[in-house]
Amino acid sequence: VALNVAQPAASPTETDALVIGAGPVGLFQVFQLGLQGIQAHVVDALPYPGGQCVELYADKPIYDIPGLPVCTGRELTERLLQQIKPFAATFHLGQEVATVEKMAYGRFAVETSRGIKFHSKTLFIAAGVGAFVPRSVKVDGLDFFNHTQLFYNALPPFDLGGKHVLVLGDGESALACANSLAQVGNPLHPQRPASVTLMHRRDSFKASDDTLATHHALRASKQLQFITAQPTGFAEHNGQLTGLQVVDSDAASHLLRADVVLAFLGVSPKLGPVAQWGLDLERKQLKVNTEDFATSEPGIYAVGDINTYPGKKKLILCGFHEATLAAFGAAARLFPEQPIHLQYTTTSPRLHGLLGVVPPTV
Amino acid sequence: VALNVAQPAASPTETDALVIGAGPVGLFQVFQLGLQGIQAHVVDALPYPGGQCVELYADKPIYDIPGLPVCTGRELTERLLQQIKPFAATFHLGQEVATVEKMAYGRFAVETSRGIKFHSKTLFIAAGVGAFVPRSVKVDGLDFFNHTQLFYNALPPFDLGGKHVLVLGDGESALACANSLAQVGNPLHPQRPASVTLMHRRDSFKASDDTLATHHALRASKQLQFITAQPTGFAEHNGQLTGLQVVDSDAASHLLRADVVLAFLGVSPKLGPVAQWGLDLERKQLKVNTEDFATSEPGIYAVGDINTYPGKKKLILCGFHEATLAAFGAAARLFPEQPIHLQYTTTSPRLHGLLGVVPPTV
């Protein structure tokens, strides 16, 4: 499924709804907003939609999605992307929401870690275990190069031609990124990197079968290097990162040349910046009501694993319900003048129009 | 999918859980109870599982089931039946729950309209718009023959050999029943009816394409009669029903011979007997909490379209969530000595055992 991926713009994007998190619940939030006639932008820390379902469970079976006796995390994601296609949401991937500020007239000013700005009337925090804080490389001082030579969960916005690229991680996104760089370089840029190296502490990965097969083929043809090691320090020259100091599986220390480091270490279960937004919390979860899953701040909703309420179970199917009632809540807030009637996708011509379908007449 | 269909027994069946309603939410209730290690019996007024999804929407597309961009009511039902297969629930179809009485030790004595008795520790009312009250034939005095020559939403428990059978209705179950009687007679009984006639006020039906095609083929080959008419009275001889007085589309009155009348007129949106069980109601809906969807009576849960709570939307996907939390509530009630931990179907060996699956090792 092709996504609309936004390019950075200088002025804030005005929108009715911003969904933070592109896991299954965030994707279904887009669907339910769409049924209410509300178009959404979506931000996620990972470089693709699907959240943990793709990063950790891409090939693993899930058995408790109603009506899907068995499906993998990737299949669930693809099905949801197909389902939300009529609503043409815009995705902003490989970046976290860094700041949220209340504006006049009930809007929120939002800025991501890559400088994309929104003015949104509603926010939906569908961040799962954490869409805010990428797991960092544990090397003192390395964060100085963040956004110039060090990137988290994203490709750099410049050509990698002639550069030595080091990719860190063992999940789907780390392997998929290393494969893609070794095969075609940075998409949209013509030059190939001088070298692409994947580094992880063990020669063992959590990626899908396809990605893993490509990885091993690229290693066999020497298009991709792999090293079993952990970073301990870095080298620089005139303020430019030149490499990482690493210790390998035989406890030997090396200097590994690197002009660019791309870290795909997943996301941290920390709440991160959201803890600073002044929302009511309970044991590091966002407190919501069960009527429309609004947080303590009107206009900000929390759905999926990040919220809490009496009876809460961290199950994807519960998040689907929460996203649905949150969309009704947002519609009531955005269109206070018009009553929000429950309509059925089987029978409502309005919903058929929004979905772009022509059901059979009976 | 083959169902376990119970035969009537003299003594009450002891069970941990009884689900009232075999629509999509009732079926998913069986699934979630199964994941908690709780086996269920299921009662439904219609002669097959699926509820309104099969009776009214068998071939019509539904677009808002998460992960199923489009599916028909029948497909959703088949998918859910597949999903609950590991849990071997027993179905009691074509009958309504008539009485519920509280017993000692937190159990409930339940009896259906066909005399099947249960002692159940928990009840799940997943009755949608109504699993309790079949829509009746509007002919004064005809109900005298109920369960002897008049049957609602069910085949009679005796041989129809040599009898004139009149089927009333225009939905999936009326047509499927008339087709089946015309083709093979009453299943499990060897003799064929003398005649099978379907009657509805218009020559226009709400059945699936397959069922409709068979209906027209049987009419063409004269194995099945159809009459456009409405009942106005009945004829009897020595206390035996002999026929219905009907008025046809030309306003002419006839006496239509009938030894047995099978009415498939759907279910009434009335609460029926459940209104007498002493449960808290609000505008004819059952009031529940949103923590475990228990009614005002501990041990009785209400899920799907029959319940109400702040924010309630009558959507199938919301019923799936409600059934899930109700299963956790029931597990806590049935097994008070053991803590109920949330487990994931992707990773839990206990759930894999209950589901009877061997997921790939990674």
Side-chain angles (χ1 to χ4, degrees):
Chain A
V1 175
L3 299 175
N4 297 334
V5 176
Q7 298 303 312
S11 59
T13 300
E14 300 286 335
T15 181
D16 281 340
L18 180 70
V19 178
I20 304 171
V25 175
L27 296 178
F28 197 66
Q29 185 67 69
V30 168
F31 181 80
Q32 286 291 343
L33 288 168
L35 288 184
Q36 299 289 347
I38 302 166
Q39 217 173 358
H41 286 256
V42 184
V43 173
D44 198 281
L46 291 171
Y48 39 65
Q52 304 288 53
C53 270
V54 170
E55 185 64 9
L56 297 181
Y57 309 120
D59 275 349
K60 292 189 193 163
I62 306 170
Y63 299 96
D64 64 346
I65 304 297
L68 292 173
V70 58
C71 74
T72 64
R74 169 176 292 167
E75 184 190 343
L76 179 62
T77 301
E78 282 169 1
R79 287 172 165 278
L80 289 165
L81 286 171
Q82 187 64 37
Q83 195 160 27
I84 69 174
K85 217 174 162 184
F87 302 124
T90 306
F91 285 80
H92 309 269
L93 301 170
Q95 56 202 299
E96 312 87 52
V97 166
T99 60
V100 171
E101 279 168 28
K102 253 175 109 165
M103 302 168 65
Y105 306 109
R107 289 188 305 166
F108 301 94
V110 176
E111 186 166 348
T112 75
S113 57
R114 290 171 78 176
I116 298 185
K117 296 183 175 106
F118 303 92
H119 289 170
S120 185
K121 292 179 184 161
T122 58
L123 295 186
F124 298 82
I125 308 176
V129 295
F132 298 103
V133 187
R135 261 183 225 279
S136 59
V137 186
K138 299 280 176 283
V139 170
D140 281 347
L142 188 68
D143 264 345
F144 175 79
F145 303 101
N146 202 357
H147 298 298
T148 56
Q149 291 179 278
L150 169 66
F151 296 87
Y152 282 104
N153 294 318
L155 289 168
F158 49 76
D159 199 337
L160 292 171
K163 292 187 194 291
H164 296 279
V165 181
L166 181 62
V167 179
L168 309 182
D170 68 334
E172 181 69 18
S173 52
L175 269 73
C177 171
N179 287 351
S180 157
L181 288 176
Q183 286 173 307
V184 298
N186 201 356
L188 309 180
H189 296 282
Q191 305 295 324
R192 294 298 184 91
S195 71
V196 180
T197 305
L198 180 72
M199 180 167 98
H200 181 56
R201 65 190 154 82
R202 292 187 301 149
D203 190 356
S204 155
F205 307 101
K206 295 191 207 115
S208 64
D209 293 345
D210 286 357
T211 302
L212 213 49
T214 306
H215 168 79
H216 286 294
L218 290 167
R219 273 167 69 169
S221 64
K222 313 272 189 213
Q223 291 169 273
L224 175 67
Q225 276 68 49
F226 175 72
I227 174 170
T228 314
Q230 288 182 267
T232 55
F234 65 90
E236 58 97 21
H237 181 72
N238 288 341
Q240 298 280 310
L241 180 72
T242 56
L244 288 194
Q245 196 70 37
V246 304
V247 57
D248 70 17
S249 47
D250 297 323
S253 195
H254 305 270
L255 181 64
L256 195 64
R257 185 165 174 187
D259 302 310
V260 172
V261 175
L262 306 177
F264 294 86
L265 306 175
V267 285
S268 157
K270 291 176 195 163
L271 262 183
V274 76
Q276 315 305 322
W277 299 353
L279 304 174
D280 280 0
L281 295 171
E282 187 178 303
R283 292 197 218 170
K284 299 187 181 175
Q285 307 291 120
L286 292 168
K287 281 178 79 170
V288 292
N289 71 59
T290 56
E291 186 167 347
D292 64 1
F293 297 91
T295 64
S296 57
E297 178 65 42
I300 303 186
Y301 305 83
V303 294
D305 288 1
I306 203 165
N307 77 13
T308 189
Y309 54 84
K312 171 71 182 181
K313 301 293 170 199
K314 292 187 178 184
L315 293 168
I316 295 170
L317 78 102
C318 295
F320 291 150
H321 162 82
E322 296 160 16
T324 303
L325 298 201
F328 277 93
R333 182 176 172 81
L334 290 169
F335 317 121
E337 70 289 354
Q338 65 191 57
I340 309 297
H341 295 298
L342 179 63
Q343 300 191 341
Y344 291 99
T345 59
T346 300
T347 50
S348 160
R350 172 177 148 81
L351 296 187
H352 294 160
L354 289 165
L355 287 160
V357 296
V358 183
T361 54
V362 179
Chain B
V1 176
L3 299 174
N4 297 334
V5 177
Q7 298 303 313
S11 58
T13 300
E14 300 287 334
T15 180
D16 281 340
L18 181 69
V19 178
I20 304 172
V25 176
L27 295 180
F28 197 66
Q29 185 67 68
V30 168
F31 180 79
Q32 287 291 343
L33 288 169
L35 288 184
Q36 298 290 347
I38 302 167
Q39 217 174 357
H41 286 256
V42 184
V43 173
D44 197 281
L46 290 171
Y48 39 66
Q52 304 288 52
C53 269
V54 170
E55 184 65 9
L56 298 180
Y57 308 119
D59 274 349
K60 292 189 191 162
I62 307 170
Y63 299 95
D64 64 346
I65 304 297
L68 293 172
V70 58
C71 73
T72 65
R74 171 175 293 169
E75 184 190 342
L76 179 62
T77 301
E78 283 169 1
R79 286 171 166 277
L80 289 165
L81 286 172
Q82 187 65 36
Q83 196 160 28
I84 69 173
K85 217 174 161 184
F87 302 126
T90 306
F91 284 81
H92 309 269
L93 300 170
Q95 56 201 301
E96 312 86 52
V97 166
T99 60
V100 170
E101 279 168 29
K102 252 175 109 165
M103 302 169 65
Y105 306 109
R107 290 188 305 166
F108 301 95
V110 176
E111 186 167 346
T112 76
S113 57
R114 290 171 78 175
I116 298 184
K117 295 183 176 108
F118 302 92
H119 289 170
S120 185
K121 291 179 186 163
T122 59
L123 295 186
F124 297 82
I125 309 175
V129 295
F132 299 104
V133 187
R135 260 184 226 279
S136 59
V137 186
K138 298 282 176 281
V139 170
D140 281 346
L142 188 68
D143 264 345
F144 175 79
F145 303 102
N146 201 356
H147 298 298
T148 56
Q149 291 179 278
L150 170 66
F151 295 87
Y152 283 104
N153 294 318
L155 290 168
F158 49 76
D159 199 337
L160 292 171
K163 293 187 193 291
H164 296 279
V165 181
L166 181 61
V167 179
L168 309 182
D170 68 333
E172 181 69 19
S173 51
L175 270 74
C177 171
N179 288 350
S180 157
L181 288 176
Q183 286 173 307
V184 298
N186 200 358
L188 310 181
H189 296 282
Q191 305 294 324
R192 294 299 185 89
S195 72
V196 180
T197 305
L198 180 73
M199 180 166 98
H200 181 56
R201 66 192 153 80
R202 292 187 301 149
D203 190 357
S204 155
F205 307 100
K206 295 191 209 114
S208 64
D209 293 344
D210 285 358
T211 301
L212 214 49
T214 305
H215 168 78
H216 286 294
L218 290 167
R219 273 167 70 169
S221 64
K222 313 274 190 211
Q223 291 168 273
L224 175 67
Q225 276 68 49
F226 175 71
I227 175 170
T228 314
Q230 289 182 266
T232 55
F234 65 89
E236 59 97 20
H237 181 71
N238 286 343
Q240 298 280 308
L241 180 73
T242 56
L244 288 195
Q245 196 69 37
V246 304
V247 56
D248 70 16
S249 47
D250 298 324
S253 194
H254 304 271
L255 181 63
L256 195 64
R257 185 164 176 188
D259 303 309
V260 172
V261 175
L262 306 178
F264 294 85
L265 306 175
V267 284
S268 157
K270 291 175 194 163
L271 262 183
V274 76
Q276 316 306 321
W277 299 352
L279 304 174
D280 279 1
L281 295 171
E282 187 178 303
R283 293 197 220 169
K284 300 188 181 174
Q285 306 290 118
L286 293 169
K287 281 178 78 171
V288 290
N289 70 60
T290 56
E291 186 168 346
D292 63 2
F293 297 91
T295 65
S296 57
E297 177 65 42
I300 303 186
Y301 304 83
V303 294
D305 288 1
I306 202 165
N307 76 13
T308 189
Y309 54 84
K312 171 71 184 182
K313 301 295 170 199
K314 291 186 178 185
L315 293 169
I316 295 171
L317 79 101
C318 295
F320 291 151
H321 163 82
E322 297 160 16
T324 303
L325 297 202
F328 276 93
R333 183 177 170 81
L334 290 169
F335 316 121
E337 68 290 353
Q338 66 191 57
I340 310 297
H341 294 298
L342 179 63
Q343 301 190 340
Y344 291 99
T345 60
T346 300
T347 49
S348 160
R350 172 177 148 82
L351 297 187
H352 293 160
L354 289 164
L355 287 161
V357 296
V358 183
T361 53
V362 179

